[in-house]
Amino acid sequence: MSQDGAAAMVSASLTATVTGTAAAAGTGIVPATVDRRISEPQSPATEIRNVNNNNGSRNDKSITNKNGNGTLMPPPPPPSQVFPTYSSHRLRLNPSADHKPDSYEDLQLDFSPLLFSSLERYLPPTLLNSSRETKVHYMREILLRYSTESERNRVQKHREYRQKIISNYQPLHRELYIMQASNFFVPSFLKAVSENTEESFRSIMSEPSPGVFAFEMLQPRFCEMLLAEVENFEKWVHETKFRIMRPNTMNKYGAVLDDFGLETMLDKLMEEFIRPMSRVFFPEVGGATLDTHHGFVVEYGMDRDVDLGFHVDDSEVTLNVCLGKQFSGGELFFRGVRCEKHVNSETQPEEILDYSHVPGRAVLHRGRHRHGARATTSGHRINLLLWCRSSVFRELRKYQKDCSGWCAECQREKKERQRQSVAATKLVLCYLLRFHFKISIMDAFVFLPSIRNY
Ligand SMILES: O=C(O)CCC(=O)C(=O)O
Ligand SMILES: [Fe+2]
């Protein structure tokens, strides 16, 4: 997560708490792990699986220890001074755009100094210009609500794991590790993103089913290089007997790209390319505020995973791009978007989509769009996955129970409630006409013609 994203999440959460919900502000960091297998995608009542990262984390950057030695150093105890607390001073909902935050880089803190700088913009006006010590004390009190000690330890362990890989693994293609858009993407994709309008995006996309977008994205040379890099990494893992984490709870083959140095490049991919598209196509699930990602490759074939069961991703928006190689089968099947409550509900005929992967071509969909992958019947298929998340969306979800903006089943239920309420109102009107104006029930029906539909 970017530090700005983390700060926005903290602010959103506390604001939601302030505006009347009884729930305590959560950590916003560890996702719920629902891990249920399903078998039969066509069967509407089949239970669906929620796929998560293997390490149980979705955010390793938001709370970090700058010196990396795992020693958590709280700021010095307050002198005679009394520091403001969150109960007396509330964070602002929107950051103060023209405030220039202090630097906290020289302090040994138990959260990233950048996080303090970002959060400073959300300070109440009375604290904005107070001493750095006062601000640190106030902000630290808030941040501690977001992370338990065991969570901080887990984050620290994963950082050390990554650090160990990065300092020992020799990349094959260093040019992959820095975003070089003109070398990575096809010109049509670059042009659409630089124009950054719904029209330009739609000009390169097809939408074979509502909410599933397909478009040409990666140059063949980039796909080849990334495939070779993953192979090189796996060879290194094999030779050094390094224990690697698998991409998620369902795929047994593949690798987490963020773990061996591609995190910064993938962050840019999310921020500069996927977020602009998601802002247009998925605003109701936090498309405009995507701020963390989980980037990995999955591998299918006879000696790899064969297929992938019916599931939803631990993401708000998923980018899935086929890298190659040669294969048959492996189609993605989609079955409609559902919230947690309706994840196992029936599929409507118009929600059924089967999509065939083509190397270099991307599919973009909501993480909650139920899907799976059919058996790769020959050859070897490798796909790049970027699960993009919005911490603001997740935090607000805790307080907003209405999913009818994106869950098709919630939408259907809402429409049904509205239909019933209209019908009830009409019935009441009909009886009023009958008894107050002594109109016969038949005349009342004539008076309210559409009542016959109910
Ligand atoms: O194999 C595929 O293309 C789908 C992968 C997928 O859905 C996932 O990893 O979440
Ligand atoms: Fe998926």
Side-chain angles (χ1 to χ4, degrees):
M1 182 196 305
S2 70
Q3 306 304 336
D4 284 346
M9 174 194 84
V10 170
S11 167
S13 162
L14 289 176
T15 306
T17 308
V18 171
T19 51
T21 164
T27 66
I29 290 162
V30 185
T33 301
V34 184
D35 207 12
R36 292 172 290 157
R37 187 168 262 302
I38 56 125
S39 50
E40 176 49 62
Q42 276 80 8
S43 158
T46 316
E47 230 185 304
I48 193 165
R49 207 169 160 191
N50 193 344
V51 195
N52 295 289
N53 308 4
N54 261 341
N55 66 3
S57 152
R58 62 180 198 83
N59 176 3
D60 278 4
K61 279 202 300 180
S62 60
I63 293 176
T64 55
N65 182 0
K66 178 82 188 338
N67 57 18
N69 62 11
T71 320
L72 303 179
M73 299 260 302
S80 52
Q81 191 184 349
V82 176
F83 288 109
T85 62
Y86 185 66
S87 54
S88 60
H89 295 69
R90 297 291 159 97
L91 286 179
R92 312 154 59 115
L93 178 57
N94 295 311
S96 155
D98 45 6
H99 175 73
K100 194 174 174 309
D102 267 323
S103 165
Y104 297 88
E105 297 281 343
D106 56 318
L107 300 179
Q108 288 215 335
L109 299 164
D110 40 5
F111 299 96
S112 157
L114 290 175
L115 185 52
F116 280 91
S117 295
S118 289
L119 189 55
E120 189 178 317
R121 290 218 162 104
Y122 291 85
L123 290 184
T126 45
L127 293 186
L128 269 186
N129 298 314
S130 47
S131 74
R132 205 167 64 136
E133 193 191 9
T134 303
K135 287 185 287 192
V136 163
H137 196 272
Y138 173 82
M139 290 191 281
R140 187 170 172 273
E141 184 213 28
I142 289 170
L143 290 171
L144 282 173
R145 294 177 180 208
Y146 282 81
S147 149
T148 60
E149 196 175 339
S150 70
E151 169 63 13
R152 287 203 296 275
N153 286 341
R154 197 200 53 70
V155 168
Q156 179 62 21
K157 278 221 172 83
H158 195 221
R159 280 188 73 225
E160 284 164 13
Y161 163 80
R162 275 192 185 170
Q163 205 46 56
K164 213 183 261 176
I165 297 178
I166 289 165
S167 44
N168 290 293
Y169 171 65
Q170 291 297 321
L172 181 68
H173 293 297
R174 288 196 183 272
E175 60 267 51
L176 287 175
Y177 291 72
I178 297 159
M179 171 57 73
Q180 292 175 325
S182 57
N183 292 341
F184 291 5
F185 306 121
V186 296
S188 57
F189 178 75
L190 285 170
K191 183 167 179 283
V193 174
S194 74
E195 287 174 17
N196 195 12
T197 61
E198 175 166 358
E199 201 189 359
S200 66
F201 294 137
R202 286 208 183 267
S203 75
I204 60 161
M205 288 171 158
S206 65
E207 190 178 4
S209 174
V212 180
F213 299 92
F215 50 94
E216 294 296 327
M217 183 179 173
L218 298 177
Q219 291 187 18
R221 170 94 187 105
F222 175 86
C223 294
E224 277 163 31
M225 281 199 301
L226 189 54
L227 288 173
E229 189 68 51
V230 170
E231 231 168 79
N232 189 55
F233 175 66
E234 286 175 340
K235 189 164 150 262
W236 174 82
V237 166
H238 185 73
E239 282 167 6
T240 57
K241 301 201 174 11
F242 201 91
R243 183 186 64 89
I244 63 162
M245 289 186 181
R246 290 306 172 190
N248 58 55
T249 48
M250 283 174 80
N251 286 93
K252 298 284 164 282
Y253 292 87
V256 179
L257 303 176
D258 298 316
D259 283 347
F260 64 92
L262 287 161
E263 187 182 23
T264 309
M265 186 278 279
L266 293 175
D267 242 349
K268 278 213 169 346
L269 170 59
M270 180 189 69
E271 285 173 9
E272 294 172 15
F273 298 88
I274 304 308
R275 196 163 59 198
M277 293 182 150
S278 305
R279 177 182 290 128
V280 170
F281 297 113
F282 309 118
E284 67 301 315
V285 294
T289 51
L290 300 175
D291 55 9
T292 53
H293 75 261
H294 177 52
F296 56 97
V297 290
V298 287
E299 297 180 32
Y300 301 88
M302 285 310 142
D303 52 350
R304 301 279 198 271
D305 286 319
V306 174
D307 58 10
L308 186 65
F310 196 31
H311 67 280
V312 290
D313 299 337
D314 181 11
S315 72
E316 272 62 77
V317 176
T318 292
L319 173 77
N320 180 347
V321 204
C322 184
L323 298 172
K325 302 179 176 175
Q326 299 219 321
F327 59 91
S328 47
E331 297 85 2
L332 279 179
F333 54 88
F334 287 93
R335 297 293 184 265
V337 185
R338 296 292 187 279
C339 64
E340 292 86 340
K341 185 174 151 210
H342 295 121
V343 74
N344 289 308
S345 70
E346 237 176 88
T347 300
Q348 301 301 318
E350 67 276 13
E351 294 178 314
I352 295 176
L353 168 69
D354 279 30
Y355 169 87
S356 298
H357 281 300
V358 177
R361 209 168 158 75
V363 181
L364 193 68
H365 61 85
R366 290 182 188 82
R368 302 288 319 179
H369 207 132
R370 303 180 299 177
H371 62 285
R374 297 204 192 286
T376 295
T377 46
S378 71
H380 193 186
R381 174 168 77 84
I382 302 161
N383 277 50
L384 162 66
L385 274 296
L386 194 70
W387 286 355
C388 303
R389 294 149 178 168
S390 160
S391 32
V392 172
F393 174 74
R394 288 180 182 215
E395 204 54 46
L396 293 176
R397 273 281 287 140
K398 293 180 186 166
Y399 311 103
Q400 294 168 349
K401 295 287 171 247
D402 180 16
C403 312
S404 59
W406 50 275
C407 167
E409 197 57 34
C410 284
Q411 250 159 40
R412 258 186 292 280
E413 285 182 0
K414 191 173 175 181
K415 275 199 187 131
E416 179 55 21
R417 279 195 303 276
Q418 283 168 345
R419 195 190 67 79
Q420 286 180 4
S421 133
V422 170
T425 311
K426 285 188 172 169
L427 211 57
V428 169
L429 270 175
C430 187
Y431 277 97
L432 281 176
L433 288 169
R434 165 98 179 82
F435 291 109
H436 280 265
F437 302 106
K438 307 286 182 243
I439 293 176
S440 77
I441 197 85
M442 281 317 290
D443 287 344
F445 268 77
V446 172
F447 194 71
L448 290 169
S450 57
I451 203 164
R452 278 167 294 185
N453 301 329
Y454 296 90

